[in-house]
Amino acid sequence: MKLGHLPDVNGNGNARRREHHVPRLRLSLLTIVAVALFASLFARLYDLQVIAADDYQVRAEANRVRTVQIPAPRGRILDRNGKVIVDNRVAVVVAIDRSIHEGLEPEEQEDVVNRLAMELTGAGFPTSPDDIRARLEDDRFNRYAPVPIAVDVPEELKIYFEEHTAEYPSVVVERKAVRSYPYGSLAAHIVGYVGKINEAELEAVADEREKPYGLNDEIGKSGVEQTFERYLRGTPGIRRIEVDSQGDPVRVISETPPVPGDDLVLTIDLDVQALAEQKLRQGLEAARARPNRDGTVNNATTGSTVVIDPNNGQIIAMASYPSYDPSTFVDGIDAAEWAALNDPANHYPLNNWAIQGQWAPGSTYKLFVGHAALMAGVMEADTVFSDRGGYQIPGCSGAKCYRRNAGGAVYGNITLPRAITISSDAYFYHVGAQFWLQRDRFGGDEAMQNHLVTWGLGDRTGVALTSEAPGRVPTPAWKRDYCDRVNCNDGVWRTGDNVNMAIGQGDVLVTPLQLANGYATFANGGTRYVPQIALRTQAYQTGEVTAEFQPEVAGQVDLPPEVREPLYEGLVNVPVSGTASRAFAGFPLDRYPIAGKTGTAQVDGKSDTAVFAAFGPAPAPEYAVAVVMEESGFGGTAAAPVARALFEALSGTTPLPPAAPNAAPVGGEQPLVEAGASYD
Amino acid sequence: MARTWELERLPRRDRLAPARRERGRRRDEPLFHARPPAAWRHVDLVLLCSALAVSAIGAMMVLSSTRGTDPDSYDTSYLRKQLIFIAVGIVAMVLVTLVDYRRLRDFASVIYGATLLLLVLVISPLGSERRGSQAWFQLGSFQLQPAELAKVGVIVTLAAALARAEVPLRLRVVLGALAIVGVPTALILAQPDLGSALVFVAITMGVLLIAGARPRHIVVLTALGIVAVVGVLTSDVLEDYQRDRLTTFLDADGEDLQGEAYNSDQSKAAIASGGVSGKGYLEGTQTRLGFVPEQHTDFIFTAVGEELGFVGSSTVLGLLALICFRVLRTAQIAQDRLGTLICIGVLSMLVFQIFQNVGMTMGIMPITGIPLPFMSYGGSSVLASWLALGVVLNVHMRRFG
């Protein structure tokens, strides 16, 4: 290769030019290098700005935009008639604007913090300067929003801080919507409470895009506040802030206002709910005051009353005792209050016993067992049984093998309706025994259970509330498993197990809601609904319906007229001439017939569980009611009067008093007793 | 382009020139070229206009990147200073074109001496240090960076030394040329300023190639250059952070987005987020909010990329390429070897600086403190760019002897 020494390119023939040789090849080499370098720049430019632009636009946008969520008020919770059970009110929040605070001199910061702590403590919000400093340094608070120091301070304090801005340059007073409960603790278990979101909940809602959660946000913790969270929660407003490369805010780019959550309309009738809670409390108080025949005292610790519309499964009232005041949860419950609510001696006021309590149903179970007997052909409706006051379990020897009727009564020759009305245990012992002894003929080991579960017994009803207990319909397989687990010496299912079960004793457990729903199913002719708690949601201001919840059928109970008639006849006579006749004395049964059944379940070491389940008006049922009262004595004595009081109002016999706003907490003054009931 | 080419070759113009010369010009003007009116008619307007356009866009982008974060107010202090720098640069360019470049040969030793003096003074206590590099004279509120001016000084000196050398260049001549470049380069490395030193390497290679160095000398020099770069990178000449800057581009997906990779990433994000049409002048968020460090100086191209998009940045790149092309043309048509070599020196400087600077903003070259000619904010850089342009225009307009 020979470079250079090239002839004159301009070819002017000029003598001086001929001396000057521009080496063309070498110049070309240089040109190629320059062109290649520029070409690679163009290529890279194209690569970045045309091919990769979208990715980098997202990156650049993320660089400069920070978002602050503006909390939205939750929707209200209303009863079916529009009464506001849970409302919002404005609370005053004292906060520190960190962007101003960090601009102050260190001594001035110190001073503001100290005086603020003093002022808040003086106003009844014990705060130490260290608390405030810890919050200011907590980087989990959004950098672009003020850090709340005290929530729900009195209006006077707000005015004070607003008038003394010069002394508190970094203190800002904000407003925030918090829950208010115009009726106090009324329906507390149904509505539930809200609280600050915890780590586990935050993780569970991490995918929520439409209404994203922040660390300081509130979330429904129980009741419909929890299960209808996605409707009740408002859509947070978004303030987009532009920041510079140091992260300092430059300006607000845009602001989307928060949208309040939807109002939730419940199936609950608040007036009925108030009456149910009141009558349940009074019934328990009366039971406590009434010693048993054997001289023992009824502790009457817990109880529940459920009212359902049998025609659609809507829950009209659901009372649970003891209760609590959900307003204690507004802006954080203190440790002492929380400990009291979880102290066994207080019988867990936070529990909704209507769905979390499981009790032996006693004789109220006989409706379902009677149905099983007729369906399986163990008994005919007109089969005459001779009740001699007791029943010897076939193939059993020992003292426990002869079972007496309650109170040792002798009823003589009876058929099924009468057996229900007067609650003959002997009749149903016989049914239970025959189911087992002739299991080959009636449908196997679980012949009776297979009929029972069609009523929804032993399984969660599916009501839209959390922590529902399933109850229990024991089977031979269950007993074997159970005994393996707890190491009992006898896991064999015997005739006695069937006998116990037939009168709602032994290992049978129901929740008050299951019991009410079972009677509602019978009342409407066999359609078992999922108990419904909410009717619809509607927009906060306009009331426009945003979601409508329909009754949902969970199953169908085979209830032919020849089976229903005798059972109905038995139930409808209970308040007339049966075990609840004293409780319903004077009630206009001719105008408003009631079909019901008492139950008295024996519990080892405690006084009886009083149970009553009924529906009325019996020919065209509008309400099904279940009352369960722990350690309260006879169902006919303790539970039936509670139901009667409700039916008086529901039938219009006595006026239904409107719910009184701001009632005192129901669970406040009940005595502290030893708990530890176990029905296992 | 073709039209310009034709015009330059019109023999009629050449014939007309002496006639014009006769009309009333003082022929005995001592410092001036013998035929100034004729020379002025041969000014490369395309080159001049391209440089003016790039400078104007540069000033616009200086405003964009120094206006402050508030979208509704504008800090114009940097813009005003930059406009003064450009004005000073243009005046300097005009002054340079007044003196026939062939007389520069006589001044070469003076220029070279002054260059060396400034480079020695700047690393003496008279110079100021910034970011670990002692490269500035603080003159009131202005800074003078002698390394920028030294580029032009070395180009002229090198071209003058090689203009009359026998082709192919003897080893003695090549070593002499290396010595001429080596001393100022060593002084600049002492600051240390690796970027500027590399510009001298590029200038040397380009000038030696065209001056007629033997191919084997060029190959050996290239090899030595590579060894030198590796040597500098692995020795203690550079501080750790300087070495990091140089090497992070090799690890573009690095985890350390807070360090040097952060600069590179923000720079790329600024350019790429401009997309095809750009976010609009003064609308760039990366630019306004200060996400790109040193944006008004070394990273000025990112403002173009973000606000003017692919359309604008390829236009700017095209104008820079046009400048280079016109310098190359001037090298081809220069009247003598001195003119050719001067233009080649300037061309090498421009191409290297443009590629290095723009490549750095797009993450394909290491981050070194080399300004973008004509565009970057800074008096020394602007002055050096216009001085270099003046020398090239000088060669161009005197191409007919």
Side-chain angles (χ1 to χ4, degrees):
Chain A
M1 178 165 85
K2 195 161 171 66
L3 298 172
H5 308 289
L6 293 158
D8 178 17
V9 285
N10 294 329
N12 285 354
N14 182 311
R16 270 183 82 183
R17 294 260 167 116
R18 216 175 288 127
E19 285 172 24
H20 172 45
H21 301 299
V22 178
R24 257 169 67 178
L25 191 56
R26 291 184 177 217
L27 212 52
S28 304
L29 199 64
L30 203 62
T31 310
I32 288 166
V33 170
V35 167
L37 293 179
F38 270 101
S40 59
L41 289 182
F42 274 107
R44 176 62 169 169
L45 202 56
Y46 183 84
D47 176 33
L48 283 179
Q49 294 193 301
V50 180
I51 309 288
D54 290 350
D55 290 348
Y56 280 102
Q57 270 156 11
V58 172
R59 185 98 128 262
E61 201 64 5
N63 263 344
R64 71 158 186 141
V65 178
R66 299 288 179 276
T67 56
V68 179
Q69 280 196 17
I70 311 161
R74 289 174 77 83
R76 300 174 301 168
I77 301 174
L78 316 176
D79 89 336
R80 66 187 305 134
N81 300 317
K83 289 193 177 176
V84 181
I85 311 173
V86 182
D87 206 342
N88 293 317
R89 67 180 170 82
V90 170
V92 176
V93 180
V94 174
I96 288 184
D97 187 330
R98 275 190 287 195
S99 63
I100 300 175
H101 195 72
E102 281 159 13
L104 301 176
E105 298 294 319
E107 314 86 71
E108 208 176 347
Q109 289 186 12
E110 187 85 352
D111 196 38
V112 168
V113 167
N114 286 341
R115 277 185 292 122
L116 179 61
M118 218 169 68
E119 207 57 56
L120 288 172
T121 308
F125 289 81
T127 317
S128 79
D130 286 339
D131 293 341
I132 298 178
R133 273 190 287 272
R135 285 176 87 78
L136 288 176
E137 279 156 25
D138 190 340
D139 53 14
R140 292 184 302 177
F141 287 107
N142 191 309
R143 184 177 161 187
Y144 306 100
V147 178
I149 303 295
V151 181
D152 209 7
V153 302
E155 194 73 18
E156 299 90 78
L157 212 53
K158 170 180 176 282
I159 295 166
Y160 174 81
F161 284 122
E162 283 171 351
E163 284 176 351
H164 294 76
T165 45
E167 294 159 50
Y168 298 94
S170 56
V171 174
V172 288
V173 186
E174 298 183 316
R175 288 172 175 282
K176 177 190 177 190
V178 296
R179 281 312 208 190
S180 75
Y181 302 88
Y183 294 91
S185 67
L186 193 55
H189 297 101
I190 301 166
V191 298
Y193 58 91
V194 291
K196 204 166 122 179
I197 194 164
N198 62 35
E199 303 287 341
E201 288 160 340
L202 198 58
E203 207 163 294
V205 296
D207 292 335
E208 174 66 49
R209 286 286 165 268
E210 193 190 343
K211 303 174 179 179
Y213 287 83
L215 256 169
N216 226 29
D217 280 3
E218 292 196 316
I219 191 168
K221 298 278 190 178
S222 73
V224 294
E225 292 269 28
Q226 183 183 15
T227 47
F228 291 87
E229 168 74 15
R230 67 192 182 99
Y231 299 99
L232 289 167
R233 179 170 167 78
T235 309
I238 306 271
R239 183 180 297 135
R240 297 173 75 236
I241 296 175
E242 183 173 79
V243 299
D244 64 15
S245 56
Q246 304 306 305
D248 292 331
V250 173
R251 62 174 175 147
V252 174
I253 303 171
S254 65
E255 193 167 313
T256 319
V259 180
D262 286 348
D263 286 347
L264 179 69
V265 180
L266 300 180
T267 58
I268 299 296
D269 181 323
L270 202 61
D271 298 340
V272 179
Q273 175 74 21
L275 190 67
E277 290 191 14
Q278 182 202 2
K279 293 303 172 190
L280 175 65
R281 184 179 74 243
Q282 290 172 350
L284 288 163
E285 282 164 357
R288 248 174 256 145
R290 180 172 54 232
N292 291 318
R293 263 179 237 165
D294 58 6
T296 56
V297 178
N298 293 314
N299 289 320
T301 54
T302 57
S304 173
T305 302
V306 177
V307 182
I308 288 186
D309 183 342
N311 302 302
N312 48 28
Q314 292 175 355
I315 300 171
I316 306 299
M318 182 158 65
S320 176
Y321 180 95
S323 188
Y324 69 98
D325 182 356
S327 68
T328 56
F329 286 90
V330 170
D331 293 305
I333 184 164
D334 67 50
E337 282 174 313
W338 179 250
L341 289 174
N342 287 283
D343 188 344
N346 292 337
H347 310 293
Y348 302 105
L350 292 178
N351 282 9
N352 182 356
W353 294 114
I355 56 171
Q356 291 174 270
Q358 305 184 93
W359 286 278
S363 298
T364 55
Y365 217 49
K366 287 173 181 166
L367 167 64
F368 312 120
V369 175
H371 168 258
L374 294 179
M375 292 301 291
V378 175
M379 291 291 201
E380 297 299 324
D382 52 3
T383 305
V384 176
F385 175 79
S386 176
D387 181 335
R388 297 203 177 85
Y391 184 74
Q392 171 68 41
I393 299 171
C396 175
S397 59
K400 284 186 168 180
C401 293
Y402 186 76
R403 302 288 174 87
R404 292 179 190 284
N405 278 345
V410 180
Y411 298 115
N413 287 345
I414 50 173
T415 55
L416 177 63
R418 185 68 187 153
I420 286 176
T421 303
I422 47 95
S423 200
S424 161
D425 288 344
Y427 183 96
F428 285 91
Y429 287 145
H430 174 72
V431 169
Q434 294 309 307
F435 254 118
W436 179 250
L437 294 170
Q438 301 191 60
R439 53 189 179 277
D440 294 343
R441 189 177 141 206
F442 297 132
D445 284 4
E446 300 181 8
M448 185 162 69
Q449 288 90 332
N450 289 343
H451 287 286
L452 294 173
V453 296
T454 62
W455 299 91
L457 300 166
D459 195 8
R460 293 178 177 87
T461 63
V463 67
L465 293 168
T466 52
S467 310
E468 190 186 8
R472 186 197 297 140
V473 176
T475 62
W478 168 82
K479 190 177 181 185
R480 206 164 42 242
D481 281 0
Y482 179 75
C483 276
D484 281 350
R485 261 185 291 125
V486 304
N487 214 9
C488 51
N489 48 22
D490 182 15
V492 181
W493 189 270
R494 301 180 195 285
T495 312
D497 291 306
N498 253 32
V499 165
N500 282 338
M501 210 170 127
I503 60 158
Q505 288 277 171
D507 298 312
V508 178
L509 293 175
V510 299
T511 66
L513 182 63
Q514 274 176 348
L515 190 60
N517 206 36
Y519 273 72
T521 303
F522 181 84
N524 69 32
T527 303
R528 178 161 60 87
Y529 289 95
V530 175
Q532 188 185 343
I533 192 74
L535 287 176
R536 61 182 177 273
T537 61
Q538 52 194 35
Y540 197 74
Q541 235 122 56
T542 61
E544 184 196 343
V545 174
T546 49
E548 194 128 34
F549 307 107
Q550 301 299 333
E552 190 186 332
V553 176
Q556 203 71 35
V557 176
D558 198 3
L559 202 59
E562 67 273 20
V563 171
R564 188 175 189 274
E565 282 305 320
L567 293 169
Y568 176 84
E569 188 192 335
L571 290 176
V572 85
N573 282 324
V574 168
V576 179
S577 59
T579 50
S581 57
R582 202 174 315 157
F584 280 86
F587 188 89
L589 289 168
D590 45 346
R591 183 173 65 73
Y592 196 96
I594 286 169
K597 184 75 196 79
T598 58
T600 306
Q602 288 150 12
V603 181
D604 284 346
K606 291 186 185 181
S607 58
D608 299 340
T609 309
V611 188
F612 187 73
F615 56 90
E622 291 169 7
Y623 302 99
V625 175
V627 180
V628 180
M629 295 155 68
E630 173 153 336
E631 295 190 66
S632 296
F634 286 111
T637 315
V642 173
R644 177 200 166 137
L646 281 174
F647 275 119
E648 276 181 0
L650 294 172
S651 65
T653 311
T654 55
L656 176 63
N662 221 356
V666 180
E669 55 288 290
Q670 37 96 26
L672 305 182
V673 292
E674 190 76 28
S678 167
Y679 298 95
D680 275 329
Chain B
M1 205 71 76
R3 200 170 142 266
T4 320
W5 181 277
E6 292 302 317
L7 279 174
E8 280 164 354
R9 273 161 180 67
L10 274 176
R12 197 167 59 87
R13 292 192 73 161
D14 203 20
R15 283 197 303 276
L16 277 176
R20 298 249 167 117
R21 182 203 342 151
E22 299 305 323
R23 290 203 291 264
R25 278 276 177 186
R26 278 179 15 207
R27 293 201 57 194
D28 53 348
E29 180 72 47
L31 197 67
F32 284 65
H33 184 268
R35 293 175 294 174
W40 275 104
R41 290 200 65 82
H42 301 307
V43 156
D44 186 348
L45 283 176
V46 175
L47 179 55
L48 186 60
C49 291
S50 306
L52 281 171
V54 171
S55 274
I57 296 171
M60 278 170 65
M61 290 352 273
V62 165
L63 173 65
S64 204
S65 53
T66 59
R67 55 179 293 199
T69 54
D70 186 344
D72 299 322
S73 69
Y74 304 94
D75 175 359
T76 57
S77 59
Y78 281 84
L79 171 68
R80 279 179 282 154
K81 276 178 155 183
Q82 177 74 350
L83 290 175
I84 292 169
F85 297 151
I86 292 170
V88 169
I90 289 171
V91 169
M93 173 206 71
V94 171
L95 290 176
V96 164
T97 55
L98 293 180
V99 189
D100 188 325
Y101 73 94
R102 282 162 293 199
R103 294 192 63 185
L104 286 176
R105 197 159 14 205
D106 307 335
F107 296 119
S109 52
V110 178
I111 293 170
Y112 189 63
T115 301
L116 291 187
L117 182 65
L118 284 176
L119 289 176
V120 169
L121 286 179
V122 83
I123 53 174
S124 79
L126 288 173
S128 312
E129 187 184 311
R130 210 174 100 208
R131 284 179 217 171
S133 184
Q134 186 155 355
W136 283 270
F137 290 119
Q138 189 71 41
L139 305 171
S141 61
F142 293 93
Q143 287 109 27
L144 182 73
Q145 196 179 357
E148 289 295 325
L149 301 176
K151 291 170 189 169
V152 185
V154 165
I155 287 169
V156 170
T157 312
L158 194 60
L162 295 175
R164 286 179 176 165
E166 199 178 315
V167 174
L169 300 182
R170 292 168 190 279
L171 181 60
R172 185 172 47 80
V173 177
V174 173
L175 290 178
L178 290 182
I180 288 171
V181 185
V183 175
T185 307
L187 289 170
I188 285 168
L189 275 176
Q191 294 178 356
D193 179 357
L194 183 70
S196 297
L198 288 172
V199 177
F200 286 94
V201 174
I203 291 169
T204 312
M205 297 301 287
V207 172
L208 281 179
L209 177 73
I210 302 303
R214 289 177 188 278
R216 63 169 178 271
H217 289 157
I218 290 171
V219 170
V220 169
L221 280 179
T222 309
L224 282 176
I226 292 168
V227 170
V229 169
V230 173
V232 165
L233 286 180
T234 53
S235 74
D236 293 336
V237 177
L238 297 178
E239 306 287 334
D240 282 348
Y241 76 93
Q242 290 177 312
R243 191 164 29 244
D244 287 346
R245 278 174 65 167
L246 291 172
T247 51
T248 40
F249 87 106
L250 295 171
D251 181 24
D253 299 322
E255 301 295 309
D256 178 25
L257 281 181
Q258 289 309 306
E260 292 298 334
Y262 171 84
N263 293 4
S264 179
D265 188 65
Q266 293 291 13
S267 170
K268 278 189 284 180
I271 293 173
S273 65
V276 173
S277 55
K279 295 178 188 170
Y281 182 54
L282 297 174
E283 300 289 333
T285 54
Q286 291 278 100
T287 297
R288 170 164 58 80
L289 298 167
F291 285 100
V292 184
E294 293 299 315
Q295 194 181 20
H296 59 300
T297 58
D298 293 349
F299 284 84
I300 191 75
F301 191 74
T302 59
V304 182
E306 184 181 26
E307 300 196 338
L308 308 182
F310 183 68
V311 173
S313 47
S314 52
T315 302
V316 167
L317 215 47
L319 284 170
L320 290 168
L322 180 58
I323 290 173
C324 292
F325 172 74
R326 297 305 301 186
V327 174
L328 182 71
R329 280 295 301 150
T330 308
Q332 280 181 322
I333 63 176
Q335 190 211 30
D336 57 11
R337 197 150 163 235
L338 175 65
T340 299
L341 292 183
I342 287 175
C343 290
I344 291 300
V346 172
L347 175 72
S348 305
M349 175 185 87
L350 288 178
V351 170
F352 180 79
Q353 291 203 180
I354 291 165
F355 179 72
Q356 159 58 34
N357 179 283
V358 177
M360 159 183 88
T361 64
M362 297 195 293
I364 56 173
M365 287 297 280
I367 294 176
T368 49
I370 292 181
L372 186 59
F374 299 105
M375 293 191 74
S376 283
Y377 173 85
S380 308
S381 164
V382 168
L383 182 61
S385 299
W386 283 102
L387 279 175
L389 189 81
V391 181
V392 172
L393 287 173
N394 195 334
V395 172
H396 187 97
M397 65 201 223
R398 295 186 171 88
R399 65 187 182 281
F400 300 119

